[in-house]
Amino acid sequence: MGLLFWRLLLVLMGCVLVRHTVSSDKCDPGEYPCFNNGTCIMSYDNIHHSYKQACKCTANFHGDYCDLVTCGANALCIHPGTSKILHTRECPAVHVNGYKCVCNSGYAGDGINCTKMCGANATCINTGNCERGPSDHCNEDLGFKCVCNHGYEGDGVVCIKKCDTNAMCIDSNTSQILPTDHCFEPMGLKCVCNQGYEGDGFTCKSEFHKFFR
């Protein structure tokens, strides 16, 4: 009876020891901390009868140590200090290495959610119902698109005013005549009505029209 008691006691003690085994292969608040405000959480493994520690990441972060973030479709993983680009959407988002998700040119946001910024001569329009959206945050995921205003042509970010068919594009600096399909005013180019026509270069009327009013 006494021997059976001690055997049972040893078994129970062994169970207690097994149940309190800790495997800290994922994180440790002191030696292997979780980055980006992640929390090191201890959980119990019923199969191996042991406790394991793992990082619980905040929104947008993932990885064993919450050290990765997925850049948006219109963003790059870039080092702001060196301008080095990592050609992957999985960006190592640890403050010590300096990399971060940055929206591409023409887009605005936090690098994870990037929305298109329409040009000065464009409007943000929902192609499904013609509803207008904010031009500085034109969300393409919701069906919106930057569209050049009437009289302008381009991709919605760079919109160039089109010269009238009875006009020519002149370089104000050299007086050189250039193709009218890319007469970009900020570059010193200007639409000028042809001889025999008058107007602002974008709308040209025959000088004879005033005699037939």
Side-chain angles (χ1 to χ4, degrees):
M1 189 72 178
L3 181 61
L4 179 62
F5 170 78
W6 287 111
R7 285 181 177 176
L8 288 172
L9 183 60
L10 287 172
V11 170
L12 289 173
M13 288 177 66
C15 290
V16 170
L17 289 173
V18 169
R19 287 180 181 276
H20 286 82
T21 300
V22 176
S23 173
S24 57
D25 57 340
K26 289 299 181 185
C27 65
D28 184 290
E31 190 174 0
Y32 302 106
C34 303
F35 294 101
N36 300 302
N37 298 316
T39 306
C40 192
I41 301 295
M42 183 178 287
S43 59
Y44 184 69
D45 186 342
N46 287 311
I47 297 176
H48 299 94
H49 303 290
S50 62
Y51 287 98
K52 289 189 175 182
Q53 295 178 171
C55 290
K56 182 178 181 181
C57 305
T58 54
N60 300 321
F61 296 98
H62 59 278
D64 288 344
Y65 302 100
C66 304
D67 53 350
L68 295 173
V69 63
T70 303
C71 297
N74 297 302
L76 294 173
C77 178
I78 191 169
H79 193 293
T82 63
S83 298
K84 182 179 178 181
I85 298 173
L86 294 182
H87 297 284
T88 173
R89 288 183 63 189
E90 296 302 311
C91 198
V94 183
H95 61 86
V96 292
N97 63 32
Y99 283 93
K100 64 185 297 186
C101 295
V102 179
C103 294
N104 294 336
S105 177
Y107 290 82
D110 58 6
I112 299 169
N113 299 297
C114 299
T115 51
K116 201 165 189 177
M117 295 177 65
C118 301
N121 297 304
T123 304
C124 180
I125 296 178
N126 189 308
T127 54
N129 56 21
C130 295
E131 176 189 355
R132 292 198 175 194
S135 293
D136 57 342
H137 285 88
C138 196
N139 197 331
E140 295 171 304
D141 292 336
L142 297 178
F144 287 91
K145 185 179 180 181
C146 293
V147 179
C148 292
N149 296 337
H150 180 70
Y152 290 83
E153 292 184 343
D155 59 4
V157 177
V158 177
C159 296
I160 301 170
K161 201 163 187 178
K162 188 178 180 181
C163 298
D164 189 88
T165 54
N166 295 305
M168 54 186 168
C169 181
I170 296 181
D171 188 326
S172 302
N173 301 311
T174 65
S175 298
Q176 182 182 1
I177 299 176
L178 301 170
T180 57
D181 55 347
H182 287 89
C183 202
F184 198 27
E185 293 172 283
M187 294 175 60
L189 307 182
K190 186 178 181 181
C191 293
V192 179
C193 294
N194 295 334
Q195 187 175 0
Y197 292 84
E198 60 181 13
D200 60 3
F202 303 110
T203 301
C204 298
K205 293 182 180 180
S206 171
E207 291 180 345
F208 298 103
H209 81 284
K210 52 189 172 186
F211 299 111
F212 299 98
R213 289 178 179 172

